[in-house]
Amino acid sequence: MQTFDLFAPTERHALYARMRAEPGLCRIAPFGAYAAARYEDVRTVQKDAQRFSSEALATTAEPPWLGPNPVSQSLVTRDPPRHTQLRAMVNRAFGASGMARLEAQVRHEAQTLAEAAVHQREVDLVDAFSFVLPRNIIGRMLGLEPSTFTEFKRWSVNMGLITSAVPAQHAGIRDTVKEMEDYLGGVIAARRRQPGEDMVSDLLRAEVEGQRLTDAEVLSFLFLLLPAGMETTAQLIGNAAILLARHPEQLEQARVDRAHIPRFIEEVLRCEPPAQFAFRVATSDVELAGTPIPAGSLVMGLVGSANRDERVFEQPDVFLPGREKGSQHLSFGHGIHFCLGAQLARMEARLALEALVPRIRAMRLRSPDIEWLPGLTIHGPRTLPVEFVPA
Ligand code: HEM
């Protein structure tokens, strides 16, 4: 079995293509994980919760230097039957009617930010638009105090560092967990006393078969939701902006036909998925693609590779909105852990582009080289200096 180094300075998609051409699974050097690169195998890893556990990953959020961390108890690191119960309780808050209620708010926020960004002509699109929009939306959805929104970035960066942190970062991460516990715990207590029309109140009211979420369960859900609601959506909008700038004909098409925007976003999700892979742990000795995997092994589903598998997508490296099977990408996962916020993320990205596109005739990247986020999991621009030609 071949071992590949994901940190090697190779073009990511060339590496994925080599991995897909291997007869079975591959090994990944930095994690010692077994990696699935072909579409069918990645989908199996994502959906077969019996053989590939998410719950067994919970301990990675609680290294000895950190201790208890509410996020380790959250939905994404639970297997059935607990996952099934928790998911039923939070599903309603993310259903179609909840999203419809939010639409006017997201549109207003997107229009205000787009207006200000285009007016400046030259901006860092991440700072001015693609990060701020999802951050403000998740903050408002949860009914959090707007003056605290500026803390969210630091919190989510620190939470994202836990599995790879060096000792110099430990104290900062411990402080973040404590700060988030105090702040979000205070919000939960306040909503218990006085419920409102926000998602925290909805979660506290949610009842399935006579069961309600405890304060600790709501807290762990908020620990997951705050970064999950911001980071990935910000990367989707940032990656969409890069592709709009690099494909002026797509910008033109979106300008004359607004219905093109959702097709464009789906293709951005396929080609440049914000979450490049998902981890699981083998629950017993199992076999996938003819490769034996010992119980307890770390298994990776390489979503960025699956979405470009030539067995499923014709000419997979060509950016082609509206392509056949275009929405069958695995960027929001598959099966029981399918992204709870997928509808919200798609709506935010659509309304972001609906706000931006009519205001501009062109958008130029001020440097041809993108400064990407460090790390391998989350894929998107760290900064994105652009220049607009207003419409
Ligand atoms: C789960 C991607 C936006 C909340 C997931 C998973 C993926 C994903 C791949 C599955 C993880 C796994 O299988 O282990 C994305 C992408 C987004 C996005 C690419 C944006 C483009 C959001 C938003 C929210 C959200 C906006 C909430 C406000 C969640 C939650 C889960 C999840 C709660 C856990 C679901 C479960 O375990 O049952 N997301 N996500 N996501 N996502 Fe998202």
Side-chain angles (χ1 to χ4, degrees):
M1 196 185 338
Q2 277 275 7
T3 297
F4 291 86
D5 182 357
L6 279 184
F7 286 99
T10 324
E11 203 273 312
R12 195 194 287 251
H13 293 291
L15 190 69
Y16 287 160
R18 281 172 46 214
M19 294 169 87
R20 284 195 302 275
E22 287 296 313
L25 301 189
C26 307
R27 295 300 290 268
I28 297 295
F31 314 109
Y34 289 77
R38 283 181 293 274
Y39 184 92
E40 275 312 317
D41 301 334
V42 174
R43 201 163 62 153
T44 302
V45 171
Q46 286 176 330
K47 82 170 179 206
D48 189 343
Q50 246 184 349
R51 288 194 299 160
F52 302 107
S53 163
S54 296
E55 194 149 327
L57 293 166
T59 50
T60 58
E62 293 184 331
W65 55 266
L66 182 59
N69 175 3
V71 83
S72 71
Q73 305 297 312
S74 76
L75 192 64
V76 77
T77 47
R78 283 282 160 272
D79 291 336
R82 193 60 190 136
H83 177 270
T84 321
Q85 292 159 345
L86 285 175
R87 178 96 187 199
M89 284 194 253
V90 299
N91 256 345
R92 189 169 316 156
F94 282 86
S97 63
M99 291 306 109
R101 254 193 293 149
L102 259 181
E103 179 151 352
Q105 200 179 356
V106 179
R107 180 176 290 114
H108 175 74
E109 188 80 37
Q111 297 280 347
T112 309
L113 291 170
E115 181 67 30
V118 174
H119 183 73
Q120 288 181 66
R121 295 277 182 112
E122 287 186 9
V123 288
D124 172 3
L125 202 76
V126 171
D127 261 4
F129 191 65
S130 60
F131 182 75
V132 188
L133 176 64
R135 183 198 70 184
N136 292 359
I137 296 302
I138 192 74
R140 299 227 158 91
M141 264 173 89
L142 297 174
L144 306 181
E145 172 53 46
S147 64
T148 63
F149 291 1
T150 49
E151 303 295 325
F152 298 173
K153 179 77 196 169
R154 183 171 53 84
W155 289 351
S156 92
V157 168
N158 277 345
M159 293 301 283
L161 282 174
I162 290 174
T163 48
S164 61
V166 295
Q169 294 167 324
H170 292 177
I173 297 172
R174 276 195 296 264
D175 289 349
T176 291
V177 172
K178 175 85 178 65
E179 254 178 85
M180 287 178 71
E181 258 172 348
D182 290 349
Y183 175 65
L184 297 171
V187 171
I188 293 168
R191 299 296 186 279
R192 275 259 185 246
R193 283 194 301 274
Q194 197 174 3
E197 289 308 309
D198 54 273
M199 188 176 283
V200 178
S201 305
D202 286 348
L203 291 169
L204 292 170
R205 276 190 289 257
E207 196 177 302
V208 171
E209 291 167 5
Q211 281 216 26
R212 290 190 172 205
L213 294 167
T214 63
D215 285 8
E217 284 164 343
V218 174
L219 182 69
S220 63
F221 189 53
L222 298 185
F223 259 72
L224 168 67
L225 216 49
L226 206 55
M230 269 184 327
E231 287 294 347
T232 42
T233 312
Q235 306 325 322
L236 171 59
I237 301 171
N239 292 338
I242 294 170
L243 284 156
L244 267 189
R246 287 185 172 161
H247 295 267
E249 77 291 349
Q250 293 292 332
L251 177 59
E252 190 48 34
Q253 211 171 333
R255 230 143 59 92
V256 297
D257 178 14
R258 200 199 262 205
H260 186 63
I261 291 177
R263 294 194 289 268
F264 175 83
I265 290 165
E266 242 17 67
E267 185 67 345
V268 176
L269 279 163
R270 186 189 70 84
C271 284
E272 307 293 345
Q276 286 281 312
F277 41 80
F279 282 110
R280 297 287 190 271
V281 174
T283 51
S284 55
D285 290 350
V286 295
E287 196 186 285
L288 182 63
T291 305
I293 308 173
S297 305
L298 202 54
V299 183
M300 275 172 105
L302 296 172
V303 172
S305 170
N307 287 355
R308 294 193 185 213
D309 188 339
E310 37 293 280
R311 295 161 192 81
V312 178
F313 304 102
E314 248 177 64
Q315 293 191 291
D317 294 326
V318 179
F319 184 74
L320 192 61
R323 64 161 57 240
E324 212 185 316
K325 301 190 194 164
S327 57
Q328 289 182 23
H329 60 74
L330 299 176
S331 301
F332 288 120
H334 189 73
I336 61 165
H337 290 283
F338 181 81
C339 176
L340 188 62
Q343 276 200 63
L344 173 61
R346 284 184 167 122
M347 177 172 82
E348 286 188 45
R350 171 173 60 81
L351 295 174
L353 296 198
E354 282 183 12
L356 194 61
V357 165
R359 287 183 163 80
I360 56 177
R361 208 146 43 80
M363 175 168 55
R364 293 194 193 105
L365 300 175
R366 295 188 49 218
S367 159
D369 299 320
I370 307 292
E371 189 194 343
W372 298 105
L373 284 169
L376 293 172
T377 322
I378 300 291
H379 170 60
R382 190 155 110 120
T383 59
L384 194 60
V386 298
E387 185 186 344
F388 295 117
V389 180

